[in-house]
Amino acid sequence: MARLDRTLTRLAGLSNAEARRLVVGGHVRLNRSLARDPSCPVSRFDTIVCRTQTLQEGMTRVAIMLHKPPGWVSATVDDQHPTVLDLIDHPAKASLHLAGRLDRSASGLVLLTNDGRWAERWTHPSRAVPKVYLVETTSPIPDDAEQQFGAGFWFAAEGVRTRPAVLERLGPCSARVTIIEGRWHQIKRMFHRLAGTRLASLHRERIGPFSLPVDLAPGRWRAVGGPYGPVELGL
Ligand code: URA
């Protein structure tokens, strides 16, 4: 994020020294509160007022949870298939991007936002955010699956071992799986390592604190908790 003094310099054509003086002198309001620290971070979501002049009107943050049906691509453009954006009719649609992908054949929770920091909070590997999936397989899940998921699988293409994952058996051919990373086709590839087990379906139930609402039908979306605050931001 940019510093307040540099943003003032850019928006009002001031020198850095002038910008700092205005802040320290109590002439700048950030989201209605007096800003006293010229180095404080600001973004396009902040409203900045210098004396009586609004230099920047803060953009509205948008965060959406979508129930993706199978067949839609997790992308903003695709020349062959409909994308998840085709399911959304929000006014800020053009500024939305995905906070984590889901395979075209998979269904379930997809988060979209116009706030890159918020997206990163739920997608960056260092955050180890749990993602929970319901899985159906075409053949019985082997007896040692829990142990193998916990121990991790060596993915030679990336040169990494998958981090410990939890498999909860729900039936001979169904399970709930929790992973804390999001490698390409990760769950499909992990099951394939279990004696070539194939997935019949993959459905994402949850990303961190966000569960797919039971009353959100496939293809429908809703805003995440209205104009969200620091808690929802996870910052
Ligand atoms: N694992 C997969 O194999 N596909 C997804 O879409 C998500 C996790």
Side-chain angles (χ1 to χ4, degrees):
M1 284 214 278
R3 290 166 51 121
L4 175 59
D5 52 358
R6 302 219 173 102
T7 306
L8 279 175
T9 303
R10 179 173 56 79
L11 295 173
L14 303 168
S15 70
N16 249 333
E18 282 171 317
R20 273 196 297 277
R21 253 197 312 276
L22 282 168
V23 177
V24 173
H27 300 292
V28 178
R29 289 187 171 268
L30 189 57
N31 305 323
R32 294 164 179 244
S33 302
L34 266 193
R36 292 286 192 178
D37 176 7
S39 71
C40 79
V42 293
S43 75
R44 62 204 170 113
F45 299 107
D46 294 308
T47 295
I48 303 172
V49 178
C50 184
R51 295 206 164 100
T52 55
Q53 192 188 0
T54 302
L55 298 177
Q56 174 173 287
E57 197 68 67
M59 265 179 75
T60 305
R61 284 190 163 92
V62 179
I64 279 175
M65 43 170 82
L66 167 74
H67 187 163
K68 183 185 111 53
W72 271 259
V73 179
S74 290
T76 49
V77 280
D78 190 275
D79 50 14
Q80 287 178 36
H81 302 284
T83 74
V84 289
L85 272 195
D86 295 326
L87 296 165
I88 291 168
D89 55 359
H90 192 283
K93 171 173 162 160
S95 67
L96 295 179
H97 46 260
L98 287 121
R101 289 164 186 274
L102 200 50
D103 290 346
R104 182 159 64 89
S105 59
S107 61
L109 179 62
V110 171
L111 297 175
L112 296 110
T113 182
N114 61 357
D115 182 350
R117 275 186 87 207
W118 190 80
E120 194 178 290
R121 170 68 186 85
W122 312 115
T123 52
H124 198 275
S126 66
R127 301 284 195 152
V129 170
K131 291 152 205 106
V132 183
Y133 297 84
L134 277 182
V135 168
E136 305 268 351
T137 56
T138 56
S139 54
I141 299 169
D143 290 344
D144 63 347
E146 288 88 340
Q147 182 271 322
Q148 288 209 56
F149 270 61
F153 296 92
W154 176 251
F155 280 2
E158 293 98 319
V160 292
R161 177 164 290 282
T162 57
R163 297 176 69 185
V166 176
L167 182 140
E168 179 196 349
R169 206 177 286 268
L170 302 174
C173 295
S174 62
R176 177 172 283 117
V177 175
T178 304
I179 57 175
I180 54 168
E181 53 196 341
R183 303 194 173 279
W184 180 72
H185 291 329
Q186 178 161 346
I187 293 191
K188 280 185 185 155
R189 289 161 79 198
M190 291 196 300
F191 272 92
H192 199 229
R193 290 296 186 79
L194 302 174
T197 309
R198 302 270 178 193
L199 295 194
S201 66
L202 178 64
H203 176 83
R204 185 154 64 203
E205 287 186 318
R206 183 161 75 80
I207 300 172
F210 306 106
S211 293
L212 188 65
V214 283
D215 60 344
L216 191 64
R220 308 300 296 225
W221 63 272
R222 77 174 50 147
V224 174
Y228 51 86
V231 174
E232 290 89 344
L233 267 170
L235 296 172

